[in-house]
Amino acid sequence: MQLLKEKIEQEGKVLSEKVLKVDTFLNHQIDPKLMVEIGKEFARLFREEKITKVVTIESSGIAPAVMTALKLEVPVVFARKHQSLTLTENLYRSKVYSFTKQVSSEIAVSGDFVTADDHVLLIDDFLANGQAMLGLMDIVEQAGATIGGVGIVIEKGFQDGGAVIRDKGVRVESLAIIDNMSPNHITFQ
Ligand code: 5GP
């Protein structure tokens, strides 16, 4: 997606050879117009899949997921990373090792919102080693739902998450795939 690549080139900061900071438009401040375009593009790519629900993980997946769900006219559910007093029963849980925080934590989704009738589109902001996406896939499988595809805003193609998920036979569509990056240059696939 050209608009997204330009935004990454203009505003992305390469913190190390593996970590990209995009908090001017995706991870802290959010660019709503760009999110609308991202939502349109995911909806276009997965329109034929008969998606019934978009599922993501808090917090940075929520903005692109909501815009996608709006276009597909389905609800969006986000996996919660923090325990909640109001979210205690009928939960599907999975362990996820966080690439950016370097700790394992549990994510949870209520069985009220993802069921065996659902055909799910999974959305996330980044794909690195695939741990977050594997956790979401685990939860969808526990619920007996099916996976219609995975939509990623920024895939780092030099890490193995893309191969791990695609090798499972799941369709992965990434709007920008970074081949390699250094503080003054980002190369896209
Ligand atoms: P994975 O689980 O695929 O290793 O990493 C994906 C998750 O880690 C995403 O949900 C995202 O929040 C975070 N992440 C991975 N790589 C980056 C990165 O380069 N920059 C930022 N801002 N987040 C990342």
mmCIF file of all heavy atoms in Angstrom, residues 18-23 27 57-58 60-61 81 96-100 124-134 156 159 161 181, ligand 1:
data_model
loop_
_atom_site.group_PDB
_atom_site.id
_atom_site.type_symbol
_atom_site.label_atom_id
_atom_site.label_comp_id
_atom_site.label_asym_id
_atom_site.label_seq_id
_atom_site.Cartn_x
_atom_site.Cartn_y
_atom_site.Cartn_z
ATOM 1 N N LYS A 18 16.051 -4.381 14.170
ATOM 2 C CA LYS A 18 14.809 -5.169 14.185
ATOM 3 C C LYS A 18 13.577 -4.416 14.678
ATOM 4 O O LYS A 18 12.479 -4.953 14.635
ATOM 5 C CB LYS A 18 14.993 -6.419 15.056
ATOM 6 C CG LYS A 18 15.832 -7.471 14.377
ATOM 7 C CD LYS A 18 15.800 -8.753 15.154
ATOM 8 C CE LYS A 18 16.600 -9.831 14.441
ATOM 9 N NZ LYS A 18 16.867 -10.959 15.306
ATOM 10 N N VAL A 19 13.746 -3.210 15.196
ATOM 11 C CA VAL A 19 12.592 -2.511 15.788
ATOM 12 C C VAL A 19 12.331 -1.174 15.099
ATOM 13 O O VAL A 19 13.206 -0.312 15.009
ATOM 14 C CB VAL A 19 12.782 -2.276 17.309
ATOM 15 C CG1 VAL A 19 11.567 -1.558 17.889
ATOM 16 C CG2 VAL A 19 12.995 -3.603 18.032
ATOM 17 N N LEU A 20 11.087 -1.050 14.623
ATOM 18 C CA LEU A 20 10.657 0.171 13.950
ATOM 19 C C LEU A 20 9.653 0.899 14.834
ATOM 20 O O LEU A 20 8.697 0.300 15.326
ATOM 21 C CB LEU A 20 9.997 -0.206 12.612
ATOM 22 C CG LEU A 20 9.409 0.938 11.799
ATOM 23 C CD1 LEU A 20 10.500 1.870 11.294
ATOM 24 C CD2 LEU A 20 8.587 0.382 10.640
ATOM 25 N N LYS A 21 9.876 2.194 15.005
ATOM 26 C CA LYS A 21 8.942 2.991 15.808
ATOM 27 C C LYS A 21 8.045 3.786 14.859
ATOM 28 O O LYS A 21 8.537 4.552 14.031
ATOM 29 C CB LYS A 21 9.766 3.929 16.700
ATOM 30 C CG LYS A 21 8.947 4.728 17.685
ATOM 31 C CD LYS A 21 9.884 5.439 18.655
ATOM 32 C CE LYS A 21 9.103 6.325 19.606
ATOM 33 N NZ LYS A 21 9.947 6.935 20.610
ATOM 34 N N VAL A 22 6.756 3.582 15.002
ATOM 35 C CA VAL A 22 5.808 4.336 14.159
ATOM 36 C C VAL A 22 4.718 4.942 15.050
ATOM 37 O O VAL A 22 3.533 4.807 14.774
ATOM 38 C CB VAL A 22 5.185 3.453 13.042
ATOM 39 C CG1 VAL A 22 6.176 3.189 11.934
ATOM 40 C CG2 VAL A 22 4.633 2.147 13.585
ATOM 41 N N ASP A 23 5.172 5.630 16.097
ATOM 42 C CA ASP A 23 4.179 6.134 17.040
ATOM 43 C C ASP A 23 3.590 7.491 16.653
ATOM 44 O O ASP A 23 2.809 8.046 17.398
ATOM 45 C CB ASP A 23 4.702 6.115 18.480
ATOM 46 C CG ASP A 23 5.903 6.988 18.675
ATOM 47 O OD1 ASP A 23 6.378 7.574 17.683
ATOM 48 O OD2 ASP A 23 6.367 7.091 19.826
ATOM 49 N N ASN A 27 1.189 3.583 16.638
ATOM 50 C CA ASN A 27 1.386 2.976 17.963
ATOM 51 C C ASN A 27 1.174 3.896 19.157
ATOM 52 O O ASN A 27 1.263 3.456 20.305
ATOM 53 C CB ASN A 27 2.786 2.364 18.063
ATOM 54 C CG ASN A 27 2.927 1.132 17.200
ATOM 55 O OD1 ASN A 27 3.949 0.925 16.564
ATOM 56 N ND2 ASN A 27 1.896 0.304 17.164
ATOM 57 N N ILE A 57 -5.671 -7.666 18.789
ATOM 58 C CA ILE A 57 -5.089 -7.713 20.133
ATOM 59 C C ILE A 57 -4.838 -6.272 20.565
ATOM 60 O O ILE A 57 -4.420 -5.445 19.744
ATOM 61 C CB ILE A 57 -3.815 -8.595 20.090
ATOM 62 C CG1 ILE A 57 -3.211 -8.823 21.451
ATOM 63 C CG2 ILE A 57 -2.787 -8.070 19.156
ATOM 64 C CD1 ILE A 57 -2.201 -9.991 21.455
ATOM 65 N N GLU A 58 -5.135 -5.980 21.840
ATOM 66 C CA GLU A 58 -4.958 -4.599 22.271
ATOM 67 C C GLU A 58 -3.471 -4.270 22.390
ATOM 68 O O GLU A 58 -2.672 -5.159 22.621
ATOM 69 C CB GLU A 58 -5.683 -4.347 23.594
ATOM 70 C CG GLU A 58 -5.077 -5.060 24.801
ATOM 71 C CD GLU A 58 -5.778 -4.670 26.099
ATOM 72 O OE1 GLU A 58 -6.512 -3.671 26.137
ATOM 73 O OE2 GLU A 58 -5.580 -5.378 27.082
ATOM 74 N N SER A 60 -2.578 -1.692 19.849
ATOM 75 C CA SER A 60 -2.333 -1.067 18.545
ATOM 76 C C SER A 60 -3.040 -1.745 17.374
ATOM 77 O O SER A 60 -3.105 -1.183 16.285
ATOM 78 C CB SER A 60 -0.833 -1.008 18.261
ATOM 79 O OG SER A 60 -0.222 -0.155 19.183
ATOM 80 N N GLY A 61 -3.580 -2.949 17.597
ATOM 81 C CA GLY A 61 -4.329 -3.583 16.521
ATOM 82 C C GLY A 61 -5.729 -3.000 16.375
ATOM 83 O O GLY A 61 -6.388 -3.179 15.348
ATOM 84 N N LYS A 81 -5.033 -7.988 27.182
ATOM 85 C CA LYS A 81 -3.736 -8.408 27.718
ATOM 86 C C LYS A 81 -3.719 -8.323 29.240
ATOM 87 O O LYS A 81 -2.807 -8.834 29.867
ATOM 88 C CB LYS A 81 -2.637 -7.497 27.179
ATOM 89 C CG LYS A 81 -2.298 -7.716 25.720
ATOM 90 C CD LYS A 81 -1.210 -6.743 25.319
ATOM 91 C CE LYS A 81 -0.827 -6.878 23.871
ATOM 92 N NZ LYS A 81 -0.072 -5.708 23.396
ATOM 93 N N VAL A 96 1.429 -15.462 25.225
ATOM 94 C CA VAL A 96 2.111 -14.789 24.118
ATOM 95 C C VAL A 96 3.412 -14.182 24.627
ATOM 96 O O VAL A 96 3.421 -13.485 25.648
ATOM 97 C CB VAL A 96 1.203 -13.671 23.529
ATOM 98 C CG1 VAL A 96 1.983 -12.790 22.578
ATOM 99 C CG2 VAL A 96 0.005 -14.282 22.819
ATOM 100 N N TYR A 97 4.495 -14.445 23.900
ATOM 101 C CA TYR A 97 5.765 -13.801 24.236
ATOM 102 C C TYR A 97 5.850 -12.510 23.442
ATOM 103 O O TYR A 97 5.765 -12.505 22.215
ATOM 104 C CB TYR A 97 6.953 -14.719 23.906
ATOM 105 C CG TYR A 97 8.272 -14.079 24.246
ATOM 106 C CD1 TYR A 97 8.728 -14.055 25.564
ATOM 107 C CD2 TYR A 97 9.042 -13.476 23.262
ATOM 108 C CE1 TYR A 97 9.920 -13.438 25.889
ATOM 109 C CE2 TYR A 97 10.247 -12.851 23.579
ATOM 110 C CZ TYR A 97 10.677 -12.843 24.895
ATOM 111 O OH TYR A 97 11.858 -12.223 25.214
ATOM 112 N N SER A 98 5.987 -11.392 24.161
ATOM 113 C CA SER A 98 5.977 -10.086 23.488
ATOM 114 C C SER A 98 7.348 -9.734 22.923
ATOM 115 O O SER A 98 8.347 -9.715 23.652
ATOM 116 C CB SER A 98 5.536 -9.007 24.469
ATOM 117 O OG SER A 98 5.865 -7.740 23.949
ATOM 118 N N PHE A 99 7.365 -9.434 21.625
ATOM 119 C CA PHE A 99 8.616 -9.072 20.958
ATOM 120 C C PHE A 99 9.161 -7.759 21.503
ATOM 121 O O PHE A 99 10.368 -7.624 21.726
ATOM 122 C CB PHE A 99 8.367 -8.945 19.445
ATOM 123 C CG PHE A 99 9.554 -8.457 18.681
ATOM 124 C CD1 PHE A 99 10.614 -9.301 18.423
ATOM 125 C CD2 PHE A 99 9.630 -7.147 18.252
ATOM 126 C CE1 PHE A 99 11.726 -8.850 17.739
ATOM 127 C CE2 PHE A 99 10.737 -6.682 17.556
ATOM 128 C CZ PHE A 99 11.790 -7.539 17.305
ATOM 129 N N THR A 100 8.292 -6.790 21.745
ATOM 130 C CA THR A 100 8.778 -5.469 22.161
ATOM 131 C C THR A 100 9.038 -5.393 23.669
ATOM 132 O O THR A 100 9.950 -4.719 24.109
ATOM 133 C CB THR A 100 7.788 -4.354 21.748
ATOM 134 O OG1 THR A 100 6.463 -4.783 22.045
ATOM 135 C CG2 THR A 100 7.901 -4.022 20.288
ATOM 136 N N ASP A 124 -3.414 -7.358 12.906
ATOM 137 C CA ASP A 124 -2.486 -6.788 13.895
ATOM 138 C C ASP A 124 -1.639 -5.708 13.236
ATOM 139 O O ASP A 124 -1.569 -5.626 12.011
ATOM 140 C CB ASP A 124 -1.617 -7.874 14.540
ATOM 141 C CG ASP A 124 -1.108 -7.450 15.934
ATOM 142 O OD1 ASP A 124 -1.533 -6.391 16.448
ATOM 143 O OD2 ASP A 124 -0.285 -8.178 16.512
ATOM 144 N N ASP A 125 -1.008 -4.904 14.085
ATOM 145 C CA ASP A 125 -0.201 -3.789 13.567
ATOM 146 C C ASP A 125 1.104 -4.285 12.946
ATOM 147 O O ASP A 125 1.473 -3.866 11.854
ATOM 148 C CB ASP A 125 0.065 -2.745 14.663
ATOM 149 C CG ASP A 125 0.799 -3.303 15.896
ATOM 150 O OD1 ASP A 125 0.779 -4.532 16.111
ATOM 151 O OD2 ASP A 125 1.390 -2.496 16.635
ATOM 152 N N PHE A 126 1.810 -5.180 13.660
ATOM 153 C CA PHE A 126 3.111 -5.674 13.192
ATOM 154 C C PHE A 126 3.122 -7.195 13.167
ATOM 155 O O PHE A 126 2.469 -7.851 13.984
ATOM 156 C CB PHE A 126 4.222 -5.247 14.153
ATOM 157 C CG PHE A 126 4.821 -3.896 13.875
ATOM 158 C CD1 PHE A 126 4.296 -2.753 14.466
ATOM 159 C CD2 PHE A 126 5.910 -3.769 13.026
ATOM 160 C CE1 PHE A 126 4.848 -1.504 14.215
ATOM 161 C CE2 PHE A 126 6.475 -2.528 12.767
ATOM 162 C CZ PHE A 126 5.936 -1.382 13.366
ATOM 163 N N LEU A 127 3.897 -7.760 12.260
ATOM 164 C CA LEU A 127 4.213 -9.186 12.308
ATOM 165 C C LEU A 127 5.735 -9.296 12.367
ATOM 166 O O LEU A 127 6.433 -8.835 11.463
ATOM 167 C CB LEU A 127 3.660 -9.898 11.065
ATOM 168 C CG LEU A 127 3.833 -11.418 10.992
ATOM 169 C CD1 LEU A 127 3.146 -12.119 12.157
ATOM 170 C CD2 LEU A 127 3.275 -11.962 9.677
ATOM 171 N N ALA A 128 6.230 -9.866 13.477
ATOM 172 C CA ALA A 128 7.680 -10.022 13.650
ATOM 173 C C ALA A 128 7.991 -11.524 13.673
ATOM 174 O O ALA A 128 8.191 -12.145 12.633
ATOM 175 C CB ALA A 128 8.132 -9.319 14.924
ATOM 176 N N ASN A 129 7.952 -12.135 14.888
ATOM 177 C CA ASN A 129 8.186 -13.585 14.969
ATOM 178 C C ASN A 129 6.899 -14.398 14.966
ATOM 179 O O ASN A 129 6.937 -15.625 15.024
ATOM 180 C CB ASN A 129 9.006 -13.907 16.218
ATOM 181 C CG ASN A 129 10.402 -13.314 16.121
ATOM 182 O OD1 ASN A 129 11.028 -13.366 15.058
ATOM 183 N ND2 ASN A 129 10.874 -12.730 17.201
ATOM 184 N N GLY A 130 5.773 -13.708 14.971
ATOM 185 C CA GLY A 130 4.484 -14.395 14.834
ATOM 186 C C GLY A 130 3.838 -14.830 16.136
ATOM 187 O O GLY A 130 2.778 -15.454 16.121
ATOM 188 N N GLN A 131 4.452 -14.493 17.269
ATOM 189 C CA GLN A 131 3.922 -14.991 18.554
ATOM 190 C C GLN A 131 2.530 -14.445 18.867
ATOM 191 O O GLN A 131 1.657 -15.185 19.316
ATOM 192 C CB GLN A 131 4.892 -14.643 19.695
ATOM 193 C CG GLN A 131 6.220 -15.353 19.582
ATOM 194 C CD GLN A 131 6.051 -16.867 19.575
ATOM 195 O OE1 GLN A 131 5.455 -17.428 20.487
ATOM 196 N NE2 GLN A 131 6.536 -17.524 18.546
ATOM 197 N N ALA A 132 2.333 -13.161 18.636
ATOM 198 C CA ALA A 132 1.015 -12.560 18.916
ATOM 199 C C ALA A 132 -0.046 -13.219 18.034
ATOM 200 O O ALA A 132 -1.129 -13.590 18.505
ATOM 201 C CB ALA A 132 1.061 -11.052 18.671
ATOM 202 N N MET A 133 0.276 -13.412 16.762
ATOM 203 C CA MET A 133 -0.694 -14.006 15.833
ATOM 204 C C MET A 133 -0.955 -15.471 16.172
ATOM 205 O O MET A 133 -2.099 -15.921 16.126
ATOM 206 C CB MET A 133 -0.158 -13.848 14.397
ATOM 207 C CG MET A 133 -1.188 -13.904 13.325
ATOM 208 S SD MET A 133 -2.764 -13.100 13.677
ATOM 209 C CE MET A 133 -2.346 -11.369 13.530
ATOM 210 N N LEU A 134 0.078 -16.199 16.581
ATOM 211 C CA LEU A 134 -0.133 -17.603 16.975
ATOM 212 C C LEU A 134 -1.051 -17.678 18.193
ATOM 213 O O LEU A 134 -1.892 -18.571 18.297
ATOM 214 C CB LEU A 134 1.206 -18.291 17.273
ATOM 215 C CG LEU A 134 2.079 -18.591 16.050
ATOM 216 C CD1 LEU A 134 3.450 -19.108 16.502
ATOM 217 C CD2 LEU A 134 1.426 -19.616 15.113
ATOM 218 N N LYS A 156 7.613 -7.396 9.076
ATOM 219 C CA LYS A 156 9.062 -7.335 8.919
ATOM 220 C C LYS A 156 9.480 -8.663 8.297
ATOM 221 O O LYS A 156 9.554 -9.695 8.968
ATOM 222 C CB LYS A 156 9.722 -7.072 10.271
ATOM 223 C CG LYS A 156 9.452 -5.629 10.757
ATOM 224 C CD LYS A 156 10.063 -5.353 12.116
ATOM 225 C CE LYS A 156 9.331 -6.121 13.160
ATOM 226 N NZ LYS A 156 9.933 -5.986 14.494
ATOM 227 N N GLN A 159 12.066 -11.235 9.583
ATOM 228 C CA GLN A 159 11.818 -12.102 10.741
ATOM 229 C C GLN A 159 10.886 -13.225 10.291
ATOM 230 O O GLN A 159 10.286 -13.145 9.226
ATOM 231 C CB GLN A 159 11.236 -11.271 11.898
ATOM 232 C CG GLN A 159 12.294 -10.298 12.438
ATOM 233 C CD GLN A 159 11.777 -9.384 13.534
ATOM 234 O OE1 GLN A 159 11.128 -8.384 13.279
ATOM 235 N NE2 GLN A 159 12.075 -9.728 14.764
ATOM 236 N N GLY A 161 7.988 -14.637 11.334
ATOM 237 C CA GLY A 161 6.549 -14.759 11.592
ATOM 238 C C GLY A 161 5.718 -15.019 10.341
ATOM 239 O O GLY A 161 4.806 -15.851 10.357
ATOM 240 N N MET A 181 16.082 -2.862 7.131
ATOM 241 C CA MET A 181 16.032 -1.460 7.555
ATOM 242 C C MET A 181 17.272 -1.092 8.351
ATOM 243 O O MET A 181 17.866 -1.916 9.029
ATOM 244 C CB MET A 181 14.756 -1.187 8.353
ATOM 245 C CG MET A 181 14.555 -2.058 9.567
ATOM 246 S SD MET A 181 12.909 -1.808 10.282
ATOM 247 C CE MET A 181 13.196 -2.490 11.920
HETATM 248 P P1 5GP B 1 5.445 -10.977 17.014
HETATM 249 O O1 5GP B 1 4.500 -11.525 18.030
HETATM 250 O O2 5GP B 1 5.039 -11.250 15.604
HETATM 251 O O3 5GP B 1 6.874 -11.344 17.301
HETATM 252 O O4 5GP B 1 5.403 -9.394 17.206
HETATM 253 C C1 5GP B 1 4.239 -8.704 16.893
HETATM 254 C C2 5GP B 1 3.808 -7.816 18.027
HETATM 255 O O5 5GP B 1 4.925 -7.156 18.606
HETATM 256 C C3 5GP B 1 2.886 -6.746 17.489
HETATM 257 O O6 5GP B 1 1.633 -6.885 18.134
HETATM 258 C C4 5GP B 1 3.536 -5.425 17.841
HETATM 259 O O7 5GP B 1 2.801 -4.791 18.847
HETATM 260 C C5 5GP B 1 4.886 -5.760 18.377
HETATM 261 N N1 5GP B 1 6.006 -5.455 17.437
HETATM 262 C C6 5GP B 1 6.796 -6.342 16.796
HETATM 263 N N2 5GP B 1 7.757 -5.730 16.107
HETATM 264 C C7 5GP B 1 7.559 -4.410 16.275
HETATM 265 C C8 5GP B 1 8.268 -3.237 15.797
HETATM 266 O O8 5GP B 1 9.264 -3.286 15.066
HETATM 267 N N3 5GP B 1 7.756 -2.040 16.182
HETATM 268 C C9 5GP B 1 6.659 -1.937 16.996
HETATM 269 N N4 5GP B 1 6.249 -0.701 17.298
HETATM 270 N N5 5GP B 1 5.992 -3.013 17.477
HETATM 271 C C10 5GP B 1 6.445 -4.240 17.119
#
